[in-house]
């Protein structure tokens, strides 16, 4: 099976045989005999009778194989001007002692721990220490406010919270401990202890009776060995935004996840053991779980822990510096990061200062990569930019160019083709399959492959209602898209990102593709706004490239003409507003729903995930001035 088509088809037609063979590539304490079965509630389950330990696979096994002195992690922190290496031996010593410390606090297999830390090695060590003793970790992104942290505390009820004294956001110190204390005060559930790592950067650490010093716990504890847990044992709970405003706790198993991650490192990312792999994300997100921590370590790759930004740490050449200095072979980031670099360095001058010939491929995910960004990247970086699509729920890629199987031609705007194990289809509203190039709901036929979510934390009804009720026997991805006549998948946006203009359903993502192609535009968001005549019409908010000097009326005219030419008059694009920046989550996703509310004057709550709340007033002011000018005109 040397071709993608053969490999993929075999995985769909023979799922048990396919995943049995892949499961044999990891080391089990008890090899599973039952490959695919159903849970008591009828949900498909992989490797039900197997036993293993994720921390053992990620660390101890490599030491047993003679690689203990190899580098497991490179910690690169431009905000603290620190670079440190950690061998597998060093990681094991730290993690085993920390696991012993957690045991001494009364933690047992099946208990939960919340980890609320910046991008530092101890955040990863805490995850691995939990996995070592079968404790379920729930990492909460360090940028979340106390209210959001308290919601997660109440939902997963941790015995212990592990945090740090502070994080650093480019040029400011963020004290974490007061935020944790406030979250606990707001929570109904009270954890027994808070383990605090003092980074000694100057942040105040208010002492509470429940506090435990991280270093004292670590060095006062005896190391413990990894324990065997069932394949179905939850490795972690990771919260993602829900449509009701209440976060959903995605539950990930251990055996299926380990099998899928090992598969993905080999066949999707084409990463060879010993190479340096860098996912420029945060451990608070699913990318961090899968491709900063567990995936690279399972595959014996050196993983980069980066405490910095793509720009301003110190400049837009920071990514290329890390690649060159640490000889990164494969990188993974979001298109937002590339757009930020492109905005600051439109001619790619900073790239020329670094030798990045070590880089084999650049993977992009988190949002759709627009053609303009892909074109800029291709012009300046001499390796493939691989757009791929997946979700917190899936835990690993759903559609990708499987570089370890067969490198397929790139189509701008496409995540290429479905990954092995994902029987991906496009349905209409009635659950009927659509033909090539027909846009509809993106669905996946059950069973989903190993590594995907096994449920929502203690909320089975919501799990079934949210993902499996609309189309019986199919997982509803929540995204719209189409598959072209060559089998390439195009994600057009979340289902609610389709607007209805005078009865015509139009994709705002498609319009964004056109707007972003304008040479003056660095990034953009197209949203549907209320219109008395047509119900909705599109409005484009654009951020121009650095150094661009252009009258607004000229920019608006040219963008409108581009959309009219590429999509047609039916798009009714007439409104273009230039803004300094766009509201985004801390993971880089543009908050389009918030933009709609601001522009339509509707009530809204400021999301806790927003990068900078001041941007709301900025945009409201600019849009109000724009509307006023239109009325006067």
């Amino acid at each position: 099976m040397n071709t993608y088509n053969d490999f993929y088809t075999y995985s769909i037609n023979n799922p048990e045989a396919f995943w049995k063979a892949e499961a044999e590539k990891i080391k089990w304490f008890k090899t599973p005999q039952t490959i695919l079965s159903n849970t008591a509630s009828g949900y498909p389950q992989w490797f039900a009778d197997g036993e293993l330990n994720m921390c053992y696979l990620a660390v101890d096994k490599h030491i047993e194989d003679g690689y203990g002195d190899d580098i497991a992690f490179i910690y690169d922190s431009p905000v603290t001007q620190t670079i440190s290496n950690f061998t597998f031996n060093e990681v094991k010593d730290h993690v085993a002692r920390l696991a012993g410390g957690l045991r001494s606090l009364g933690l047992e297999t099946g208990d939960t721990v919340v980890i609320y830390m910046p991008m530092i090695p101890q955040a990863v060590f805490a995850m691995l220490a939990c996995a070592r003793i079968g404790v379920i970790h729930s990492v909460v992104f360090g940028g979340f406010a106390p209210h959001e942290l308290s919601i997660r505390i109440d939902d997963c009820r941790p015995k212990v919270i592990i945090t740090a004294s502070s994080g650093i956001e480019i040029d400011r110190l963020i004290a974490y401990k007061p935020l944790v204390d406030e979250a606990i005060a707001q929570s109904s559930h009270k954890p027994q202890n808070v383990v605090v790592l003092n980074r000694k950067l100057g942040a105040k650490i208010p002492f509470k009776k429940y506090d435990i010093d991280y270093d004292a716990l670590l060095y006062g504890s005896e190391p413990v060995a990894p324990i065997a847990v069932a394949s179905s044992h939850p490795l972690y709970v990771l919260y993602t935004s829900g449509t009701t405003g209440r976060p959903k706790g995605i539950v990930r198993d251990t055996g299926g996840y380990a099998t899928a991650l090992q598969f993905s490192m080999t066949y999707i990312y084409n990463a060879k053991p010993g190479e340096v792999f860098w996912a420029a994300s945060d451990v608070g997100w699913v990318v961090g779980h899968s491709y900063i921590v567990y995936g690279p370590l399972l595959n014996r790759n050196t993983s980069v822990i980066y405490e910095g930004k793509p720009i301003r740490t110190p400049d837009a050449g920071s990514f290329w510096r890390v690649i060159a200095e640490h000889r990164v072979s494969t990188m993974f980031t979001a298109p937002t990061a590339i757009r930020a670099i492109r905005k600051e360095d439109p001619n790619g001058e900073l790239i020329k200062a670094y030798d990045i010939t070590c880089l084999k491929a650049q993977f992009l995910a988190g949002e759709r990569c627009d053609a303009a960004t892909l074109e800029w990247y291709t012009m300046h970086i001499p390796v493939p930019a691989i757009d791929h699509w997946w979700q917190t729920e899936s835990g690993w890629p759903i559609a990708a160019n499987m570089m370890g199987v067969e490198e397929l031609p790139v189509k701008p705007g496409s995540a290429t083709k479905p990954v092995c194990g994902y029987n991906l289809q496009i349905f209409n509203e009635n659950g009927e399959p659509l033909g090539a190039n027909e846009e509809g709901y993106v669905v996946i036929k059950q069973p989903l492959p190993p590594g995907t979510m096994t449920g929502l934390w203690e909320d089975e009804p919501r799990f079934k209602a949210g993902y499996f009720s609309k189309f019986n026997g199919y997982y509803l991805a929540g995204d719209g898209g189409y598959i072209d006549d060559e089998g390439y998948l195009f994600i057009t946006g979340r289902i609610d990102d389709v607007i209805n203009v005078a009865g015509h359903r139009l994709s705002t993502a498609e319009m964004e593709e056109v707007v972003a192609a304008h040479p003056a535009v660095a990034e953009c968001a197209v949203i549907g706004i209320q219109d008395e005549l047509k119900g909705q019409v599109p409005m484009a908010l654009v951020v121009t490239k650095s150094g661009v000097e252009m009258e607004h009326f000229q920019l608006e005219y040219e963008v409108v003409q581009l959309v009219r030419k590429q999509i047609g008059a039916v798009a009714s694009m007439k409104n273009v507003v230039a803004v300094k920046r766009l509201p985004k989550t801390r993971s880089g996703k543009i908050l389009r729903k918030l933009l709609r509310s601001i522009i339509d004057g509707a009530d809204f709550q400021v999301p806790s995930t927003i990068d900078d709340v001041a941007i709301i007033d900025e945009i409201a002011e600019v849009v109000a001035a724009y509307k006023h000018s239109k009325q006067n005109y």
Side-chain angles (χ1 to χ4, degrees):
M1 291 180 287
N2 295 323
T3 68
Y4 160 81
N5 285 335
D6 290 342
F7 203 40
Y8 174 75
T9 301
Y10 181 72
S11 76
I12 299 302
N13 293 340
N14 306 277
E16 289 191 61
F18 184 90
W19 290 111
K20 180 178 186 295
E22 294 304 321
E24 291 172 351
K25 297 176 182 178
I26 63 173
K27 189 171 181 179
W28 298 78
F29 292 164
K30 179 185 176 184
T31 303
Q33 303 302 311
T34 302
I35 305 304
L36 180 61
S37 57
N38 287 326
T39 63
S41 62
Y43 188 70
Q45 181 179 26
W46 292 95
F47 318 125
D49 57 348
E51 294 181 2
L52 74 170
N53 184 279
M54 184 69 88
C55 182
Y56 169 81
L57 292 174
V59 181
D60 301 64
K61 179 183 180 297
H62 305 314
I63 296 171
E64 291 176 3
D65 292 343
Y67 298 102
D69 291 330
D70 284 12
I71 304 299
F73 288 110
I74 298 169
Y75 169 52
D76 188 308
S77 173
V79 294
T80 60
Q81 298 182 347
T82 301
I83 295 177
S84 304
N85 293 338
F86 297 87
T87 66
F88 283 102
N89 282 324
E90 290 169 332
V91 172
K92 178 186 174 183
D93 179 65
H94 192 117
V95 168
R97 285 185 175 275
L98 182 57
L102 295 178
R103 275 271 182 84
S104 72
L105 297 179
L107 285 163
E108 300 175 353
T109 301
D111 287 339
T112 57
V113 163
V114 161
I115 300 169
Y116 183 74
M117 303 183 88
M119 272 298 291
I120 54 177
Q122 289 82 357
V124 176
F125 298 156
M127 295 168 71
L128 290 167
C130 289
R132 195 171 188 83
I133 57 175
V135 168
I136 304 162
H137 64 68
S138 183
V139 183
V140 178
F141 176 61
F144 275 122
H147 174 67
E148 291 296 317
L149 178 56
S150 72
I151 291 172
R152 289 151 175 79
I153 292 171
D154 278 337
D155 196 66
C156 71
R157 301 186 299 280
K159 275 189 177 180
V160 170
I161 296 175
I162 304 175
T163 190
S165 55
S166 64
I168 301 179
E169 194 70 25
I170 299 180
D171 55 3
R172 63 190 177 101
L173 202 64
I174 302 171
Y176 275 35
K177 183 56 168 47
L179 302 178
V180 172
D181 291 338
E182 186 179 342
I184 292 173
Q186 294 179 20
S187 304
S188 299
H189 172 82
K190 306 299 180 183
Q192 295 174 8
N193 294 109
V194 175
V195 178
V196 186
L197 172 73
N198 187 353
R199 299 187 71 189
K200 301 176 181 177
L201 297 174
K204 292 183 178 180
I205 311 174
F207 179 77
K208 300 287 184 179
K209 289 183 179 180
Y210 48 60
D211 288 350
I212 301 287
D213 181 75
Y214 181 102
D215 289 330
L217 180 69
L218 180 71
Y219 295 111
S221 301
E222 291 296 320
V224 297
I227 67 164
V229 299
S231 174
S232 59
H233 180 74
L235 176 66
Y236 64 77
V237 178
L238 182 60
Y239 288 89
T240 186
S241 299
T243 55
T244 63
R246 183 166 60 92
K248 299 176 292 188
I250 303 299
V251 178
R252 191 84 62 213
D253 72 352
T254 303
Y257 190 47
T259 302
L261 290 183
Q262 182 63 68
F263 174 86
S264 70
M265 294 299 295
T266 303
Y267 293 110
I268 297 174
Y269 298 105
N270 194 28
K272 303 296 188 291
E275 292 181 342
V276 180
F277 188 96
W278 179 26
S281 182
D282 189 285
V283 292
W285 309 119
V286 68
V287 172
H289 284 60
S290 295
Y291 297 113
I292 293 176
V293 186
Y294 296 115
L297 290 191
L298 284 171
N299 199 50
R300 195 169 51 79
N301 291 117
T302 298
S303 182
V304 177
I305 301 171
Y306 179 67
E307 190 181 24
K309 301 289 184 181
I311 59 175
R312 296 180 61 199
T313 53
D315 55 32
S318 56
F319 272 16
W320 321 124
R321 190 269 304 169
V322 172
I323 292 170
E325 189 166 340
H326 304 307
R327 310 313 293 163
V328 174
S329 293
T330 306
M331 186 183 175
F332 180 158
T333 192
T336 295
I338 303 301
R339 284 197 289 269
I341 294 169
R342 171 187 167 212
K343 182 178 186 295
E344 296 296 314
D345 186 23
N347 297 319
E349 294 298 327
L350 291 172
I351 301 170
K352 301 172 185 176
Y354 301 98
D355 175 12
I356 59 172
T357 54
C358 53
L359 193 66
K360 296 191 303 184
Q362 169 75 73
F363 285 82
L364 302 172
E367 57 179 318
R368 189 176 49 87
C369 181
D370 59 278
T373 298
L374 184 62
E375 181 181 355
W376 181 89
Y377 178 91
T378 304
M379 183 185 303
H380 296 289
I381 307 296
V383 299
I386 310 300
D387 188 10
H388 63 326
W389 170 70
W390 52 297
Q391 305 172 318
T392 303
E393 288 86 346
S394 70
W396 62 290
I398 300 172
N401 201 329
M402 298 185 67
M403 301 295 282
V405 180
E406 177 187 8
E407 183 176 348
L408 300 174
V410 170
K411 288 190 178 184
S414 173
T416 315
K417 297 185 178 184
V419 166
C420 294
Y422 290 98
N423 189 342
L424 196 149
Q425 300 176 37
I426 308 295
F427 280 2
N428 66 13
E429 182 68 35
N430 299 320
E432 299 163 336
L434 295 174
N437 300 303
E438 292 185 297
E439 186 177 339
Y441 295 93
V442 179
V443 299
I444 303 168
K445 187 176 181 180
Q446 292 199 67
L448 299 181
T452 54
M453 66 175 178
T454 57
L456 295 179
W457 182 252
E458 298 185 345
D459 201 342
E460 184 72 18
R462 191 182 185 194
F463 175 59
K464 291 182 176 179
Y467 297 102
F468 299 100
S469 62
K470 188 171 182 64
F471 303 116
N472 186 37
Y474 289 83
Y475 166 82
L476 178 66
D479 283 306
Y482 64 92
I483 297 174
D484 72 7
D485 49 10
E486 292 184 304
Y488 279 67
L489 172 69
F490 290 78
I491 297 295
T492 55
R494 297 298 291 174
I495 292 168
D496 59 3
D497 281 342
V498 175
I499 63 173
N500 194 317
V501 181
H504 300 282
R505 286 172 56 82
L506 299 173
S507 166
T508 55
E510 185 179 1
M511 291 187 218
E512 286 181 6
E513 193 87 30
V514 176
V515 175
H518 190 285
V521 174
E523 60 178 344
C524 68
V526 175
I527 58 172
I529 60 173
Q530 295 175 0
D531 183 80
E532 289 183 4
L533 179 62
K534 298 185 178 181
Q536 284 183 301
V537 292
M539 172 180 279
L541 281 78
V542 302
V543 179
T544 58
K545 295 176 183 175
S546 297
V548 169
E549 294 184 7
M550 191 175 190
E551 294 289 342
H552 176 265
F553 76 89
Q554 183 67 24
L555 176 63
E556 182 173 57
Y557 174 81
E558 291 181 8
V559 168
V560 167
Q561 292 306 308
L562 268 178
V563 174
R564 188 180 183 91
K565 180 180 178 181
Q566 296 293 326
I567 298 176
V570 66
S572 296
M573 170 67 80
K574 297 179 181 177
N575 303 291
V576 178
V577 182
V579 295
K580 292 181 180 178
R581 49 190 181 147
L582 294 168
K584 299 174 184 176
T585 65
R586 291 181 177 88
S587 62
K589 293 185 179 180
I590 296 171
L591 292 162
R592 291 171 176 82
K593 184 177 180 180
L594 175 63
L595 283 171
R596 283 196 296 270
S597 298
I598 294 172
I599 294 167
D600 287 336
D603 293 335
F604 62 90
Q605 285 187 324
V606 178
S608 59
T609 54
I610 192 168
D611 185 55
D612 185 353
V613 294
I615 197 172
I616 295 174
D617 291 332
E618 288 179 18
I619 289 178
E621 186 177 336
V622 170
V623 170
Y626 173 82
K627 287 182 176 180
H628 182 71
S629 68
K630 281 283 188 178
Q631 290 168 355
N632 288 345
Y633 180 77

